[in-house]
Amino acid sequence: MSSLSKRTPTRNMLLFSGRAHPTLAQEVADLLEISVVPTTAYDFANGEIYVRFDESVRGCDAFVLQSHAAPINEAIMEQLIMIDALKRASAKRITVILPFYGYARQDKKHLGREPISARLMADLFLTAGADRLMTVDLHTAQIQGFFDGPVDHLLAMPILTRHVKKRYGKKDLAVVSPDAGRIKVAEQWANALGGAPLAFIHKTRDPRRPNESKANRVVGDVAGRVCILVDDLIDTGGTIVQAAEALMADGAEAVVIAATHAVFSGPAVDRLKNCVATEVIVTNTLPIADDKRFDKLTVLSIAPLLAQATAAVFEEGSVTSLFKS
């Protein structure tokens, strides 16, 4: 018994990956110089998901990476099941890594009798056993308050702005928000790009018709400038393509689209491939299949940011310092 009392507990970081984006998990693991924990996962004939970890997780500091890619509900359910398995196997702390947070656009009620599904998501993760959430570029920052625990809201902007500076830094730039609601993010971009002027697209949207909006006019001076059109995600591409067309019609020299999450649903790839933008810059928070890649698409890796944040959480260091660029 005396020898047991003298033992010093050792902390153990383990990284787990769902099946939605294993390539990203492997990138993160390589940067952390660890291995992704071997996991058995499969679907029953009726669609139910089974998960079992192939090694002991008792007392570990668990990091569960799953991006909510299509089919999104299966990705979410698989991650919840993984969290539950870890909790029941006595993991010490469970950090959920959500490069793309599903249902984040449903963060408030536009009409009566609607859900606030982003809050429901947070409740599900808390109930499953998550101690902490780590995510990238939420649709709105206040979603952090939906989870009753620490939330690390990572920003892809430094990764994106480094690329933009390198390629377009000598041009006269303007930063453009595709709507008035994201003007604050556009301001941060403008500061990161050395005080580039701001503009935004005035648009209208019918809350009863999802994925549809109409770009009305450009507010701000964009004539003769390379416009960096920034957004958190590209879903069907309708909004961002209309905005790019409006900028070119208003005299912009060129338009570069930059977004964190490449959802790329339905007609998005055809729209982006054929639009007036000279480059579409995204990160790999979501998997992008080969048939959804095109010549003007640039994909930047989010793995270094996730790896740095994971190491900081594990070592009880500062995550906020990663936001500085």
Side-chain angles (χ1 to χ4, degrees):
M1 291 296 292
S2 59
S3 61
L4 287 175
S5 64
K6 291 178 183 177
R7 289 182 60 190
T8 303
T10 56
R11 297 175 64 224
N12 185 21
M13 175 201 292
L14 294 181
L15 178 65
F16 303 84
S17 172
R19 291 176 289 172
H21 201 352
T23 304
L24 178 58
Q26 189 58 56
E27 277 190 65
V28 173
D30 290 344
L31 290 166
L32 291 169
E33 297 182 341
I34 61 175
S35 299
V36 178
V37 173
T39 303
T40 299
Y42 55 82
D43 299 333
F44 288 104
N46 68 346
E48 290 179 7
I49 296 166
Y50 173 85
V51 172
R52 181 179 184 272
F53 306 115
D54 297 342
E55 62 183 56
S56 174
V57 302
R58 185 178 299 276
C60 77
D61 207 338
F63 293 84
V64 189
L65 194 156
Q66 175 88 309
S67 202
H68 296 165
I72 188 167
N73 297 320
E74 290 181 20
I76 292 166
M77 193 66 197
E78 182 174 83
Q79 193 171 30
L80 291 168
I81 291 170
M82 293 172 73
I83 296 163
D84 184 74
L86 285 165
K87 182 178 70 172
R88 296 178 188 281
S90 302
K92 184 178 180 183
R93 180 172 65 167
I94 302 171
T95 299
V96 177
I97 304 177
L98 309 154
F100 176 70
Y101 185 113
Y103 289 89
R105 282 174 284 181
Q106 298 184 41
D107 61 327
K108 58 183 175 292
K109 292 175 67 171
H110 296 277
L111 302 170
R113 301 176 297 282
E114 284 186 337
I116 302 180
S117 304
R119 171 58 194 265
L120 173 62
M121 285 282 296
D123 289 344
L124 288 169
F125 284 113
L126 187 68
T127 302
D131 298 299
R132 187 183 196 103
L133 297 187
M134 183 186 297
T135 189
V136 182
D137 283 354
L138 287 167
H139 188 61
T140 50
Q142 62 263 29
I143 293 173
Q144 296 171 81
F146 291 169
F147 183 75
D148 190 13
V151 177
D152 299 308
H153 184 203
L154 308 180
L155 306 178
M157 188 179 68
I159 295 170
L160 295 164
T161 54
R162 274 197 297 272
H163 177 84
V164 170
K165 283 179 192 174
K166 186 176 180 180
R167 185 162 289 189
Y168 305 101
K170 294 181 180 178
K171 300 276 191 179
D172 290 329
L173 301 179
V175 176
V176 184
S177 170
D179 56 48
R182 296 197 63 78
I183 196 72
K184 201 165 192 65
V185 174
E187 284 177 356
Q188 294 169 349
W189 266 80
N191 291 335
L193 294 176
L198 273 173
F200 73 91
I201 308 295
H202 181 270
K203 71 176 184 180
T204 54
R205 185 188 293 275
D206 185 344
R208 289 161 295 200
R209 297 176 68 87
N211 298 115
E212 287 187 27
S213 66
K214 182 175 175 55
N216 294 324
R217 62 190 175 91
V218 179
V219 180
D221 184 14
V222 299
R225 294 182 176 273
V226 174
C227 293
I228 313 300
L229 184 56
V230 299
D231 210 348
D232 62 320
L233 63 85
I234 302 172
D235 192 352
T236 60
T239 297
I240 209 87
V241 166
Q242 283 185 27
E245 290 169 352
L247 290 168
M248 292 301 290
D250 218 45
E253 179 187 327
V255 176
V256 175
I257 294 170
T260 303
H261 308 297
V263 179
F264 288 1
S265 303
V269 171
D270 284 338
R271 286 173 172 172
L272 293 167
K273 191 189 302 183
N274 299 311
C275 78
V276 297
T278 57
E279 186 179 15
V280 179
I281 310 164
V282 297
T283 76
N284 63 341
T285 55
L286 288 163
I288 304 172
D290 289 343
D291 62 354
K292 291 192 174 183
R293 294 176 183 257
F294 46 95
D295 289 343
K296 65 173 82 171
L297 180 69
T298 300
V299 182
L300 306 176
S301 179
I302 204 74
L305 179 62
L306 295 177
Q308 290 167 22
T310 298
V313 169
F314 178 67
E315 295 164 4
E316 308 291 350
S318 171
V319 176
T320 305
S321 63
L322 303 178
F323 303 162
K324 297 172 184 176
S325 64

